[in-house]
Amino acid sequence: MVTVLYFAGLRERLGCGREQIPLPAGTPTVGAVLDWLRTRDGRWAEAFAPERAWRVAVNQHMADLATPLKPGDEVAFFPPVTGG
Amino acid sequence: MARVRVQEAPFDAGREIAAMTNGRRDVGAVATFVGLVRDSNDGAAVRRMTLEHYAGMTERALEAICDEAHSRWDILDVRVVHRVGPLEPGEAIVLVAVAGAHRGEAFAACEFIMDYLKTRAPFWKKESTPAGERWVEARESDDEAAARWAEGGGPA
């Protein structure tokens, strides 16, 4: 399992801040998790549609679709940041 | 006091600077930036702002930015304080203070830290306007400001 977190507008659009999901089979990556989420539920497909901007972090470090995952990892999806 | 802090409470910039420089005799310059909540944005009045962050990653990202500033410039110390939670127009959101022997490096490092903070630290602003609440969109100009520092560069 991996823990998936969502922040800010993404969390509100999905109606979910945190969930546990199974680690995809094969070579698990952020991209594989995203594919699984998109096919699971229309809201995820819409929130991660190609025209939407988002970022991802794995274990609190910025990551990308190719970043590999292992059991227990924390994967966070969020909109581009707007602090300062 | 910690070099990086994320907190709901207001901060006192003077106190932060004093805590950083107290007892030191090698500091010749302190450059600071304070960001405040504006009462308007993108053509709408802003009544209140709420800042959300990714606790844990935020502190890590800010520490990494401070480390990067230390590796690029000969500076003596850094403080970053960023507020989260509800904020009113006129309130201070963020403080960056950089102490150095000379002003040039302190100014540059302070600007660098702010530019990187705005594009790399996981904070999100939600504005309350007369038309309702809205998440602030990231600005391309912020990405461009951060990109100026790539490969050891600085603002033209």
Side-chain angles (χ1 to χ4, degrees):
Chain A
M1 303 290 276
V2 289
T3 301
V4 184
L5 307 177
Y6 307 97
F7 288 94
L10 201 51
R11 183 193 65 245
E12 291 186 349
R13 198 170 298 123
L14 296 168
C16 174
R18 178 190 193 95
E19 63 175 333
Q20 300 273 336
I21 67 164
L23 204 56
T27 310
T29 60
V30 169
V33 161
L34 200 53
D35 287 343
W36 187 85
L37 290 168
R38 280 189 178 119
T39 53
R40 183 188 62 174
D41 188 303
R43 270 177 304 164
W44 270 257
E46 196 276 331
F48 291 101
E51 70 276 13
R52 297 230 185 242
W54 50 270
R55 304 285 183 267
V56 61
V58 173
N59 298 331
Q60 307 190 350
H61 293 281
M62 292 308 291
D64 57 40
L65 289 174
T67 303
L69 297 175
K70 59 184 187 315
D73 279 349
E74 179 175 286
V75 182
F77 293 102
F78 44 80
V81 303
T82 57
Chain B
M1 241 189 295
R3 177 170 74 162
V4 163
R5 292 199 328 271
V6 178
Q7 61 187 43
E8 288 207 14
F11 56 78
D12 178 334
R15 228 176 244 264
E16 299 294 335
I17 293 167
M20 179 172 66
T21 58
N22 190 30
R24 297 193 75 135
R25 305 183 64 135
D26 53 350
V27 175
V30 176
T32 62
F33 173 86
V34 176
L36 309 180
V37 180
R38 253 192 343 267
D39 66 359
S40 68
N41 189 32
D42 283 337
V46 174
R47 292 169 169 167
R48 197 180 59 247
M49 182 174 273
T50 306
L51 267 125
E52 175 176 333
H53 78 123
Y54 180 0
M57 180 172 173
T58 314
E59 291 82 356
R60 253 178 220 238
L62 294 174
E63 287 287 351
I65 294 167
C66 292
D67 287 343
E68 176 83 19
H70 271 283
S71 75
R72 289 187 180 218
W73 291 280
D74 186 14
I75 51 177
L76 297 167
D77 205 353
V78 175
R79 288 288 185 283
V80 178
V81 183
H82 204 300
R83 293 179 64 194
V84 291
L87 293 161
E88 305 279 329
E91 284 195 79
I93 306 179
V94 59
L95 166 75
V96 175
V98 180
H102 305 285
R103 72 181 184 284
E105 305 226 296
F107 273 133
C110 185
E111 191 172 14
F112 165 85
I113 290 168
M114 265 316 294
D115 285 348
Y116 267 39
L117 181 157
K118 288 195 83 91
T119 54
R120 298 184 178 204
F123 292 100
W124 302 275
K125 288 182 181 134
K126 190 183 218 179
E127 294 172 339
S128 178
T129 75
E133 297 204 315
R134 63 181 188 188
W135 289 98
V136 174
E137 297 276 330
R139 292 176 196 274
E140 225 167 87
S141 59
D142 287 334
D143 286 330
E144 288 160 7
R148 297 175 306 169
W149 302 97
E151 290 168 28

